[in-house]
Amino acid sequence: MDLIAKNNELEVQIESGSPLAYNLIMESETKPTFSKSTGLPRKRFYRARAHSNPLSDSHFPIPISPSHVDFSLHFPKFFGANNEEVSKKVEFADIGCGFGGLLISLATLFPDTLMIGMELRDKVTEYVKERILALRKTSSGGQYENVSVVRTNSMKYIPNYFEKGQLSKMFFLFPDPHFKEKNHRRRVISVDLLDEYAYVLRAGGIIYTITDVEELGEWMRSCLEKHPMFESLTQDELDSDPVVELLCSATEEGQKVARNGGQTFRAVFRRIAYVS
């Protein structure tokens, strides 16, 4: 069962006076993987390899269609049991969300928008889940109830999670460069994969990409320019978009690049309407 779903069940049990639930929650509060001062998980206990091979087989649940994704487990404050009377849908997807820095920033910038991170590495996904749960618990006013994370391979299963035209924003921040030419097929941005991204993005939806590898930056921009369903944002549009400045400042990778005085290469494109 999903960690966030487990936490929701424990809260129900503790409200009913279950001693088992109380002991489990107290145990989680005293885990050494959490900072005593902030109550947040500590990254050093969740470190993993920088990237995973997206073409390898991984073992985790995969929904057979978007209607089989129970988002009530991720956003219990927004959904009824078993997705009953769903009035909101996920609109933002952070592909390869890493340690969740962008998601956490977006959650307060867009408090009424549901967003989810999609991460292949199990330890990193676990960290983001723990971080979100801790922030929900320590924040007031229902903050961070609109953000969640799922372990999955987005290069294979994007259409399994989102309906046609569901998303308004997709983020691809500092993806694996896969430098060797024979591994370029592993890159998360390609002309072929853009077909799937265009499918789940609504007309007017935005794809945000950024990297500190110039060759990869040129590759992603070239793929987007070649695809008939995307057009580049103008400089005025970029300047007026509050999300753009977060692409570098909100992520661990972006902060590292800034500290080292490195360059970043950004490509932000709009999904255009289909004209038959």
Side-chain angles (χ1 to χ4, degrees):
M1 183 182 291
D2 190 280
L3 178 62
I4 291 180
K6 285 183 179 179
N7 184 75
N8 295 333
E9 287 194 1
L10 285 175
E11 288 183 354
V12 172
Q13 291 180 39
I14 195 171
E15 287 177 0
S16 63
S18 167
L20 174 60
Y22 178 80
N23 290 336
L24 287 172
I25 291 178
M26 289 301 293
E27 180 183 349
S28 69
E29 291 178 344
T30 58
K31 284 191 296 186
T33 54
F34 283 72
S35 168
K36 292 182 179 179
S37 59
T38 65
L40 297 177
R42 294 186 283 184
K43 287 180 185 175
R44 65 190 180 94
F45 291 101
Y46 298 87
R47 290 294 178 181
R49 296 181 63 180
H51 302 282
S52 292
N53 180 2
L55 302 185
S56 64
D57 292 327
S58 300
H59 302 286
F60 44 75
I62 302 164
I64 61 176
S65 74
S67 63
H68 289 81
V69 183
D70 188 357
F71 282 115
S72 68
L73 301 179
H74 293 271
F75 310 102
K77 302 297 183 183
F78 289 87
F79 289 82
N82 300 317
N83 280 356
E84 292 177 359
E85 299 181 2
V86 175
S87 59
K88 297 183 74 67
K89 294 183 178 180
V90 172
E91 293 187 42
F92 295 179
D94 186 2
I95 310 302
C97 65
F99 289 99
L102 177 69
L103 287 170
I104 299 305
S105 297
L106 291 174
T108 53
L109 188 61
F110 299 92
D112 298 320
T113 301
L114 300 187
M115 56 195 73
I116 197 162
M118 311 185 87
E119 174 60 52
L120 184 55
R121 295 167 293 172
D122 56 349
K123 286 187 178 180
V124 178
T125 306
E126 191 75 9
Y127 171 84
V128 180
K129 289 179 180 179
E130 295 275 14
R131 184 180 184 183
I132 292 169
L133 291 174
L135 287 170
R136 287 180 180 180
K137 185 175 181 181
T138 58
S139 302
S140 59
Q143 285 187 316
Y144 306 105
E145 296 289 348
N146 61 327
V147 60
S148 189
V149 66
V150 64
R151 185 185 178 213
T152 192
N153 187 336
S154 56
M155 287 178 63
K156 293 182 177 181
Y157 306 120
I158 278 283
N160 297 62
Y161 284 88
F162 307 116
E163 300 170 358
K164 180 179 180 180
Q166 178 176 335
L167 300 178
S168 62
K169 295 184 187 296
M170 295 183 74
F171 301 91
F172 301 83
L173 310 189
F174 300 96
D176 190 336
H178 294 295
F179 289 108
K180 295 181 180 179
E181 186 173 352
K182 67 178 183 179
N183 290 334
H184 284 183
R185 63 198 179 103
R186 299 181 182 179
R187 288 181 169 178
V188 72
I189 293 290
S190 68
V191 175
D192 291 336
L193 284 172
L194 284 173
D195 288 344
E196 294 195 2
Y197 305 153
Y199 175 81
V200 297
L201 270 173
R202 67 188 62 164
I206 308 294
I207 274 188
Y208 300 82
T209 75
I210 192 170
T211 179
D212 59 335
V213 179
E214 184 173 7
E215 187 273 331
L216 178 60
E218 293 175 353
W219 165 282
M220 294 193 291
R221 176 174 290 278
S222 175
C223 289
L224 285 158
E225 288 175 340
K226 291 176 183 176
H227 200 283
M229 298 302 292
F230 291 96
E231 64 180 8
S232 179
L233 267 65
T234 67
Q235 188 59 50
D236 287 343
E237 288 173 324
L238 292 172
D239 292 340
S240 62
D241 187 342
V243 173
V244 170
E245 64 180 61
L246 295 177
L247 301 183
C248 193
S249 64
T251 64
E252 184 182 63
E253 296 90 343
Q255 293 165 5
K256 187 185 301 182
V257 172
R259 286 196 303 270
N260 295 332
Q263 284 185 292
T264 56
F265 306 91
R266 184 183 63 202
V268 183
F269 279 67
R270 178 190 299 106
R271 201 284 210 183
I272 63 175
Y274 174 75
V275 179
S276 59

